[in-house]
Amino acid sequence: MSIDAASATRIVEQRKRQRLRWASISRSDYVISLSGFAVLVCIWEALIWAFDVPNYILPAPSAIAVSLAAGLSSGLFLYNFYVTALETIAGFMLAAAVGIGVGALVAQFSLVERVVYPWLVALQTLPKIAIAPLIIIWAGYGIGSKVIIVALVAIFPVLVNTIMGLKSCDQGKLDLMISLGAGRWETFRVVRFPNALPFIFAGLNVAIVLAILGAIVGEFVGSKSGLGNLILEANFQFDVARIFAVLVVLSVFGVLLSQLMRIVQDRFLFWNKALSQ
């Protein structure tokens, strides 16, 4: 008994040392990444000053920082960010709901797969930038048209991964549910859907990035506000520093959404360590 206790203590200590080692490696990675970025910015700044490059060609990082600070302090960036964020999140949620719902129907009913799926594939092959003007005409210049465009851009990864996850369920588990007398809904709820969750989250991770792209595309085609509209206005004014500043805001927004999705995924897929890591 004393040997088992000692072994258990040794295993716990080994795991603790391993976690500390991985944490140390992770911190080192962040330090190296940030240091590399700082060196790159310094080189960029030095080259701009050395070769006297005009701001309308390529602004220095300091000029971008000044433009970013001015946009944030005036509230201009915050208002347009709010519009783009609202379009992105609403469109992503619509794409997730429709993608998972239709994917479940396609995976469960062969008739739906034969009738609906070819049309969905045909819709996906259409360039969204080509049909965006039609959506703007039908739904107007407001947020509604951008939400539709975002949903169209982001829906396909969710749909395909949902179908793949539901269809890839282990046949032994399905046979067991049948032998227990479970119905279609119970089998779906207990076996198929949990099995498909890693696939669904993989699709959602791709969709959240595409959602930002869809919002910007929609604002480029026709809008009165939003970060995409702000980029167009800055482009007309040859204010390249502001374009870079908006890109910084979009990058931070994308990273935050990606991290938020990772947190949600870790919470739902705590049993799937391979995907969570």
Side-chain angles (χ1 to χ4, degrees), residues 131-149:
I131 61 175
L134 293 175
I135 296 173
I136 296 292
I137 292 173
W138 294 333
Y141 283 82
I143 290 178
S145 58
K146 314 305 180 300
V147 171
I148 296 173
I149 294 171

Side-chain angles (χ1 to χ4, degrees), residues 35-105:
S35 300
F37 178 73
V39 170
L40 181 64
V41 169
C42 290
I43 294 173
W44 180 357
E45 182 83 23
L47 290 176
I48 293 296
W49 286 102
F51 293 98
D52 195 20
V53 180
N55 273 343
Y56 61 85
I57 299 294
L58 181 62
S62 57
I64 297 171
V66 169
S67 179
L68 179 62
L72 291 174
S73 60
S74 66
L76 179 66
F77 282 11
L78 294 178
Y79 170 71
N80 287 282
F81 169 76
Y82 166 74
V83 174
T84 301
L86 186 62
E87 295 166 354
T88 301
I89 294 172
F92 170 75
M93 293 179 69
L94 179 62
V98 175
I100 294 173
V102 174
L105 291 174

Side-chain angles (χ1 to χ4, degrees), residues 11-243:
I11 291 172
V12 170
E13 289 298 326
Q14 287 176 351
R15 289 180 177 175
K16 188 183 295 182
R17 285 197 295 272
Q18 189 176 24
R19 283 198 296 270
L20 290 173
R21 187 165 63 250
W22 278 110
S24 174
I25 293 173
S26 179
R27 282 196 296 272
S28 300
D29 289 345
Y30 279 120
V31 170
I32 293 172
S33 178
L34 289 175
S35 300
F37 178 73
V39 170
L40 181 64
V41 169
C42 290
I43 294 173
W44 180 357
E45 182 83 23
L47 290 176
I48 293 296
W49 286 102
F51 293 98
D52 195 20
V53 180
N55 273 343
Y56 61 85
I57 299 294
L58 181 62
S62 57
I64 297 171
V66 169
S67 179
L68 179 62
L72 291 174
S73 60
S74 66
L76 179 66
F77 282 11
L78 294 178
Y79 170 71
N80 287 282
F81 169 76
Y82 166 74
V83 174
T84 301
L86 186 62
E87 295 166 354
T88 301
I89 294 172
F92 170 75
M93 293 179 69
L94 179 62
V98 175
I100 294 173
V102 174
L105 291 174
V106 169
Q108 289 290 300
F109 303 100
S110 58
L111 176 63
V112 178
E113 182 176 11
R114 291 197 302 272
V115 174
V116 176
Y117 194 67
W119 291 103
L120 293 174
V121 174
L123 178 64
Q124 176 60 22
T125 58
L126 290 175
K128 303 302 177 293
I129 189 69
I131 61 175
L134 293 175
I135 296 173
I136 296 292
I137 292 173
W138 294 333
Y141 283 82
I143 290 178
S145 58
K146 314 305 180 300
V147 171
I148 296 173
I149 294 171
V150 170
L152 287 176
V153 171
I155 191 173
F156 208 67
V158 183
L159 176 68
V160 170
N161 281 275
T162 300
I163 295 171
M164 188 182 301
L166 291 172
K167 285 191 171 183
S168 65
C169 189
D170 181 36
Q171 189 59 43
K173 296 178 181 177
L174 299 177
D175 292 339
L176 176 62
M177 294 299 292
I178 293 173
S179 66
L180 294 174
R184 184 191 292 269
W185 165 244
E186 195 170 8
T187 302
F188 175 84
R189 182 174 60 83
V190 176
V191 176
R192 284 191 183 275
F193 189 71
N195 178 77
L197 276 177
F199 294 86
I200 293 174
F201 272 100
L204 292 174
N205 279 316
V206 177
I208 195 70
V209 178
L210 293 178
I212 301 176
L213 174 65
I216 297 302
V217 167
E219 290 171 358
F220 277 176
V221 174
S223 65
K224 298 175 182 175
S225 57
L227 293 177
N229 183 65
L230 208 57
I231 291 175
L232 287 180
E233 289 181 357
N235 187 43
F236 291 143
Q237 299 166 3
F238 292 99
D239 191 350
V240 182
R242 174 170 288 184
I243 295 176

